[in-house]
Amino acid sequence: MTAELVRGQNHPLPHSRLEIRVTAGAPVLACATLGDDRGTVLGVDWIAHPGSPTLPGIEVSRQAAAGLRFHVDLEAVPDRAHLVHVLLALPEGVGGPARFGTTASPFAAVTATDGTEIASFTITGLEAESAVIALELYRRQGAWKVRAVGQGYAGGLAELFGDQGVPQAREFAAGIQEAVARHMASAIQAPLTGAPDGVRVRADGSATAAQPGQSAGGAAGAGASAGAGVTPGPGATPHQLPGTPGQQPGGTADGQGQQPAAAAGGRVDYTHPRRRTTAPPTPPPASPQAQPGQAPRPVAGDATGWSMEERLYNQVWGMFEDLARATAAYRSAVDFAESRMDQELDRVLSDPRSRIGGTGDAAREAARAKRDRLTDQAREALDRDLGQLAAESEVVEPALPPAYARWDNPVWHAYRVPMDNPMALRLGDLHLPERTDLRIPMLVRLPLERGLWIDSGRSGSEAALMLDEGQLRRLAMDNAVGHAARLLAAYPPGEFTVHVIDAAGSAAGSLAPLVAAGVLNQPPATGAGGVAAVLAQLTQRVDLVQMAIRGGAADSLPPGLDTAEQLLIVNDFPHGFDDRAVTQLRYLADEGPAVGVHLMMVADREDATAYGPVLDPLWRSLLRVTPVADDHLADPWVGHAWTFEPLTMPPGSQILRRVLEQVAEARRAWRR
């Protein structure tokens, strides 16, 4: 059964050789781009377009038309390419429509080579856009999937290519449009009268008899080469764009000008001429093969990266994206089903004759049944995707390094102080209401680009409302200590320093693990004098490092300056802060991260209302997290509100004490 996709929805591809058939309300030109694991197109030689229509495993149409076909062989796509984007654009300068909003919605169908339809997507909602990413084919755990994208660009191909990182995107897009416009001008002729049946008119005005089995005028639309019936001579490269490889349209990727089998009437051979024909090496036992017909078994570290840590980071990020897109597709499908039911009911009720008797009741039941069927299909697809992600999470979670792992992960029992700086840190977990037990690690890159604000106020979540003010403040400070301990454990000895401001001394219980282990360079600062001293010290460090960097004299810093990354934990702000201290704190939040000084605020915003809007830039500059579960993290890309779940220490666990003792011992050994 064909999968009718909506924006964001994905579907597995059971075949490697595919056709993508596109129909539109006006002639469109086709392009395809290959992207790396981050979606970046590494150059113009990774783009197939009418002037250079073939890439390894990809072939696009050579001319603009209302009906196009893309030929795809996923096995021949280079290993470096993780994404294939199918692009459509309206030709410019040919008198056609300037935006998709004035034409019928484009339709794309992914089919097998025998014509069996696998998935389809109607690209609705386009208005001022003149170029669109229709579909995305992407690798996931060794298998390929198709995703409905439908991302339009009012700036046309130039804006689209620029968004994908193509160098000189505007000039390159203009070259494509110019080539297509020249071809359309030469291919579209005034209608001629009196041409007998079976005679085909060439672009130059001469007539030749049509080949047996071919109707007059059918050659150009059936894939004739550039020139609308005039075949280029050997080595000719019509509409070649600057910067693209010299390649015969329809030829092989090695630029030798050989035509594929389809040019002689046979099947197209999509095999890359330099592709290895030997069997790949047998995978190690840690990467078990899936049974035929089953999804590939998940493997920890199944992503790109120079190290296992980077591969796991990229894999977790991929899991986050997959969960976001799958849920967005499900919610969009449910909204569509509800909207469709409402429209059908409105049509029925608009006729007074159907409001009475059995006709109206039957129509209502039919509309509801159709709604339920569409919703069930969407839920089935969502459950399939979430089941695959849950299986991947079960494999990935035990393989995470300490900086990425929960406190109950056994990796902490084998913890050793690292010798290299970490790549990222886990702050908590993220999940969505469609499946609350499927939690994705929330990883932030290190060094921190933004400070953290652990909100100790009653934010309005159910979990926060169940606790009193004192309990929330204690939980917030416990979370801050946990984050500080993870940072100290993730960095090599001497590469990370923690400062604490506890003006009222109310966090002594939470800070006890840090103080007892001796991982703080100085005791927590208390009172107004302690606040002023710590802020002055860190402000001076920021000033000195900034001046050294700007003056190109980074090696001339004072000998006693601590060059390690600095973290300042502030508890119960604004208690103990005067106007000068508040100004210094804002300065550290704005300028500190660039020179290695980071801020972690534990505060209730209501306590600082006396400052009014003066502190608004401070709160906005910090990443807000909570000590209890709260759905405050918005994802504007897909419209989700993610629920953040903080990391908690297992009851009775001694892991924090043991880890901090190892960190302290390593720091003492490093100072000797």
Side-chain angles (χ1 to χ4, degrees), residues 197-411:
D197 292 341
V199 176
R200 176 161 50 92
V201 180
R202 288 185 173 181
D204 59 0
S206 61
T208 59
Q211 297 297 326
Q214 185 179 35
S215 61
S225 59
V230 181
T231 304
T237 312
H239 313 316
Q240 185 69 41
L241 298 179
T244 57
Q247 179 177 321
Q248 178 73 16
T252 56
D254 58 0
Q256 299 302 315
Q258 300 173 355
Q259 298 294 325
R267 178 172 294 182
V268 176
D269 180 10
Y270 295 107
T271 305
H272 192 282
R274 292 192 294 272
R275 184 175 177 84
R276 296 189 300 269
T277 57
T278 57
T282 304
S287 178
Q289 295 294 307
Q291 298 297 325
Q294 296 181 354
R297 297 181 184 179
V299 178
D302 186 18
T304 58
W306 292 101
S307 64
M308 188 62 174
E309 183 183 21
E310 185 178 0
R311 292 198 297 271
L312 286 168
Y313 174 86
N314 290 333
Q315 186 172 12
V316 168
W317 180 251
M319 293 167 60
F320 171 82
E321 287 187 333
D322 280 354
L323 178 56
R325 290 167 174 166
T327 306
Y330 168 72
R331 294 181 182 180
S332 178
V334 171
D335 291 342
F336 171 77
E338 293 286 347
S339 174
R340 184 170 180 175
M341 182 188 69
D342 292 341
Q343 292 175 5
E344 293 178 354
L345 292 177
D346 288 343
R347 284 196 297 268
V348 172
L349 296 177
S350 64
D351 186 355
R353 293 171 297 180
S354 63
R355 297 177 186 174
I356 58 176
T359 304
D361 294 338
R364 292 186 187 93
E365 291 300 324
R368 294 190 180 99
K370 187 179 295 183
R371 184 271 315 272
D372 294 341
R373 186 170 64 253
L374 292 174
T375 302
D376 291 343
Q377 290 176 356
R379 186 71 210 193
E380 181 182 355
L382 176 67
D383 290 341
R384 181 198 65 217
D385 292 339
L386 296 189
Q388 184 176 349
L389 283 172
E392 186 175 4
S393 178
E394 292 176 357
V395 173
V396 170
E397 191 69 45
L400 295 177
Y404 299 179
R406 296 192 186 104
W407 285 116
D408 58 357
N409 193 312
V411 72

Side-chain angles (χ1 to χ4, degrees), residues 39 62 102 159 184 236 238 240 257 327 342 380 387 441 571-572 623 640:
R62 299 168 177 80
T102 60
E159 183 182 357
M184 294 182 71
Q240 185 69 41
T327 306
D342 292 341
E380 181 182 355
N571 182 44
D572 276 349
L623 174 62
H640 297 323

Side-chain angles (χ1 to χ4, degrees), residues 456 469-478 572 602 604 607:
S456 60
E469 183 177 336
Q471 290 174 316
L472 275 175
R473 292 181 185 274
R474 175 62 185 260
L475 281 176
M477 197 60 198
D478 289 345
D572 276 349
V602 182
D604 180 0
D607 294 341

Side-chain angles (χ1 to χ4, degrees), residues 15 70-71 123 128 184 205 263 282 343-344 456 466 513 579 667:
H15 309 289
F70 295 73
H71 300 283
I123 311 171
M184 294 182 71
T282 304
Q343 292 175 5
E344 293 178 354
S456 60
M466 296 293 291
D579 291 345
R667 288 162 63 93

Side-chain angles (χ1 to χ4, degrees), residues 348-592:
V348 172
L349 296 177
S350 64
D351 186 355
R353 293 171 297 180
S354 63
R355 297 177 186 174
I356 58 176
T359 304
D361 294 338
R364 292 186 187 93
E365 291 300 324
R368 294 190 180 99
K370 187 179 295 183
R371 184 271 315 272
D372 294 341
R373 186 170 64 253
L374 292 174
T375 302
D376 291 343
Q377 290 176 356
R379 186 71 210 193
E380 181 182 355
L382 176 67
D383 290 341
R384 181 198 65 217
D385 292 339
L386 296 189
Q388 184 176 349
L389 283 172
E392 186 175 4
S393 178
E394 292 176 357
V395 173
V396 170
E397 191 69 45
L400 295 177
Y404 299 179
R406 296 192 186 104
W407 285 116
D408 58 357
N409 193 312
V411 72
W412 286 106
H413 293 280
Y415 169 77
R416 295 293 182 270
V417 178
M419 300 307 296
D420 297 317
N421 286 347
M423 180 178 180
L425 182 78
R426 185 174 188 165
L427 295 181
D429 293 330
L430 300 172
H431 64 81
L432 293 170
E434 279 73 11
R435 183 163 178 178
T436 57
D437 64 325
L438 177 55
R439 295 176 176 175
I440 307 298
M442 180 181 175
L443 303 179
V444 294
R445 292 295 296 263
L446 295 177
L448 294 170
E449 296 180 358
R450 299 173 63 189
L452 298 178
W453 167 29
I454 303 177
D455 190 354
S456 60
R458 306 185 74 178
S459 57
S461 67
E462 293 183 6
L465 294 175
M466 296 293 291
L467 302 174
D468 61 33
E469 183 177 336
Q471 290 174 316
L472 275 175
R473 292 181 185 274
R474 175 62 185 260
L475 281 176
M477 197 60 198
D478 289 345
N479 270 265
V481 171
H483 294 321
R486 296 172 74 86
L487 285 165
L488 287 166
Y491 276 89
E495 295 295 328
F496 199 84
T497 302
V498 176
H499 307 266
V500 179
I501 291 179
D502 183 23
S506 59
S510 297
L511 293 170
L514 298 178
V515 175
V519 293
L520 300 178
N521 285 9
Q522 54 192 8
T526 58
V531 171
V534 172
L535 291 177
Q537 175 187 348
L538 293 178
T539 302
Q540 183 185 38
R541 183 191 183 281
V542 171
D543 290 339
L544 290 173
V545 175
Q546 280 186 341
M547 287 188 293
I549 293 175
R550 292 169 182 169
D555 55 348
S556 61
L557 291 168
L561 187 71
D562 185 2
T563 58
E565 296 284 320
Q566 310 285 312
L567 175 68
L568 172 60
I569 302 176
V570 178
N571 182 44
D572 276 349
F573 176 82
H575 185 83
F577 281 73
D578 55 17
D579 291 345
R580 176 180 174 81
V582 170
T583 302
Q584 289 176 318
L585 192 68
R586 288 185 54 186
Y587 176 74
L588 293 178
D590 293 337
E591 304 293 336

